């Protein structure tokens, strides 16, 4: 069980980076969200895209995985009576900038319009959010992805058994 407490001075490691890291790992437990995202980061890009498609299926949407060579920047499609939602998945640890959102918007435009949603395990920069808002691209970052999984597919958050 995790218990927040302040260590006594004699419990602190000497000023050696390796000993600090080992001490921090022994005291701080990773949050479930970070463990979950690390699992996704360890998967292949195609597996991550399929995971997103399966999650959308749990939500009640029928997503088709189109990820692969020659996909034109569109990793999945969701058909609606009014048209399509086109999606792109970015499995990264850092931040997605406005250039990636611009490229995705161009891909959606080449598909004769529709809506677009960009899904990442990372975060979006302020510039990416601003551009997405201007052109109507939806953004799902790692925190929101975790929330969707928690709500619609909670068994994915369980630790695998031995």
């Amino acid at each position: 069980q995790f218990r927040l407490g302040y260590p006594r001075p004699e419990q602190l490691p000497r000023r050696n980076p390796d000993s600090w890291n080992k001490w921090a790992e022994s005291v701080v437990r990773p949050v479930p969200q970070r463990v979950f995202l690390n699992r996704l980061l360890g998967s292949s890009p195609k597996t991550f895209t399929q995971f997103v498609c399966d999650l959308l299926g749990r939500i009640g949407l029928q997503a088709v995985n189109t990820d692969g060579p020659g996909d034109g920047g569109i990793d999945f499609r969701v058909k609606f009576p009014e048209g399509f939602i086109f999606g792109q998945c970015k499995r990264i640890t850092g931040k997605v900038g406005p250039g990636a959102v611009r490229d995705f918007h161009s891909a959606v435009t080449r598909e004769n319009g529709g809506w677009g949603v960009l899904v990442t395990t990372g975060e979006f920069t302020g510039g990416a959010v601003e551009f997405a808002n201007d052109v109507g691209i939806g953004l799902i970052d790692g925190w929101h992805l975790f929330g969707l999984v928690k709500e619609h597919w909670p068994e994915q958050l369980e630790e695998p058994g031995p």
Side-chain angles (χ1 to χ4, degrees), residues 31-40 51 55 142-161:
V31 296
Q33 188 252 359
R34 179 53 47 205
V35 171
F36 166 73
L37 291 176
N38 283 339
R39 253 191 270 156
L40 291 179
F51 177 83
L55 174 60
W143 283 102
H144 290 100
L145 181 62
F146 176 76
L148 288 170
V149 171
K150 191 174 181 178
E151 183 178 346
H152 298 282
W153 203 1
E155 54 272 18
Q156 284 295 316
L157 302 177
E158 296 170 3
E159 286 296 322

Side-chain angles (χ1 to χ4, degrees), residues 3-13 20 23-24 26-28:
R3 188 174 58 89
L4 182 61
Y6 296 99
R8 293 186 304 275
E10 66 272 8
Q11 292 176 307
L12 293 173
W20 276 105
W23 175 77
S26 71
V27 174
V28 179

Side-chain angles (χ1 to χ4, degrees), residues 19-75:
S19 62
W20 276 105
N21 290 340
K22 287 177 186 170
W23 175 77
E25 288 172 7
S26 71
V27 174
V28 179
R29 300 177 89 183
V31 296
Q33 188 252 359
R34 179 53 47 205
V35 171
F36 166 73
L37 291 176
N38 283 339
R39 253 191 270 156
L40 291 179
L41 287 166
S43 67
S44 71
K46 192 153 187 82
T47 301
F48 175 55
T49 299
Q50 188 58 53
F51 177 83
V52 170
C53 289
D54 293 345
L55 174 60
L56 293 172
R58 292 285 183 135
I59 294 171
L61 304 172
Q62 188 172 358
V64 177
N65 187 339
T66 60
D67 188 19
D71 65 14
I74 304 295
D75 294 336

